[in-house]
Amino acid sequence: RAEDVVAHIDHAVNVCGEDHVGIGTDGGITQIDDLKAYEARLATEIARRLLQVALPLPLPRLFDYLPPPGHAATPADIGRRVRVPFGRRELVGLVAGIGDAGEDGTGQERELRAAEALLDDDAPLLQGELLDSLRWLARYLHAPLGETVATALPALLRQGEPLPDTRVALWQLTEAGRTALPRLRAGS
C-alpha cells in the first residue's frame, strides 16, 4: 500500500539521513528532496482515485464513480459490491477496478457522482479465482461483466442485501443443565 511505502521511506530518512535515501525508477535512483511534498502529492493522488464499477446493464463497459464519502478507493475494494446512483434509480454493482479521476480527454475535469455505499464491509464478496473466472466468462460469452456477475449472485445479494451469517450455531448446556443431567432417564 502507498501508506506503507511512505512510512518505510520516512523511517529510512530518519535512520540513514536524507542524503542516503532515494526511490528507484527504471534502474536509477531519484533522491527525495522534500518528503512532506511527496506525501502531499501522494495524498492528492490517492484522493483522485475512483471506483470502476460493473453494473448489471447490457452495456460492455465499466462506469466511474467517486468513492463514498469518507472512503478512499484502494485495490482492496475490487470485488466488493457497491450501491451507486444511475439515472433516476440506484443499482448494485461490483467494483471491478480502481482508476484515476483525471480529465475526460477534452481537457475538462470529469463530473462524477459518488457511490452511495460499499456493501461488503469485511472483505470483497468476489475475489481471487472466482472473480477471475467471472471475468473470463464475460469475455468468452462476449457479455458485459456486470450482467455476468449479476447472473452469478443470488437474488438477495444482487439487490444489495447483506451476506447472511453462515456461522454454525452450537447448543451448549448451562450449569443448571449439567447439574440436572444425571437425574434424567436414560434415552430421554
Side-chain angles (χ1 to χ4, degrees):
R1 296 186 359 215
E3 296 85 13
D4 296 334
V5 172
V6 170
H8 180 74
I9 292 171
D10 191 38
H11 173 73
V13 167
N14 291 335
V15 171
C16 303
E18 287 185 23
D19 295 339
H20 303 288
V21 177
I23 298 177
T25 55
D26 297 324
I29 294 182
T30 304
Q31 185 174 356
I32 297 177
D33 294 325
D34 187 354
L35 185 59
K36 296 299 179 202
Y38 174 74
E39 289 173 336
R41 189 172 70 244
L42 183 61
T44 301
E45 288 178 17
I46 290 172
R48 291 174 48 94
R49 290 182 187 161
L50 52 83
L51 303 173
Q52 296 174 326
V53 180
L55 294 174
L57 300 167
L59 301 170
R61 59 172 294 232
L62 301 177
F63 295 87
D64 294 338
Y65 286 89
L66 296 172
H71 180 79
T74 68
D77 293 331
I78 296 173
R80 294 174 74 183
R81 292 175 304 143
V82 63
R83 185 180 313 279
V84 297
F86 191 83
R88 296 180 186 199
R89 58 189 173 151
E90 285 186 351
L91 295 175
V92 174
L94 184 84
V95 178
I98 303 298
D100 181 36
E103 299 175 351
D104 64 1
T106 64
Q108 303 281 332
E109 279 285 320
R110 296 188 293 171
E111 285 192 36
L112 298 173
R113 296 173 79 179
E116 298 290 327
L118 288 166
L119 302 177
D120 303 314
D121 294 328
D122 298 335
L125 180 65
L126 301 174
Q127 58 186 330
E129 188 177 347
L130 179 56
L131 182 56
D132 292 341
S133 295
L134 290 171
R135 288 180 194 270
W136 175 87
L137 182 62
R139 286 190 310 271
Y140 182 78
L141 297 175
H142 300 278
L145 179 60
E147 286 190 327
T148 305
V149 168
T151 303
L153 293 177
L156 290 177
L157 293 180
R158 283 194 305 263
Q159 296 165 5
E161 295 297 320
L163 189 62
D165 186 7
T166 57
R167 292 179 286 184
V168 177
L170 301 175
W171 292 92
Q172 180 176 330
L173 283 177
T174 63
E175 185 60 38
R178 280 192 286 282
T179 304
L181 189 59
R183 294 190 304 258
L184 292 176
R185 289 184 310 198
S188 64

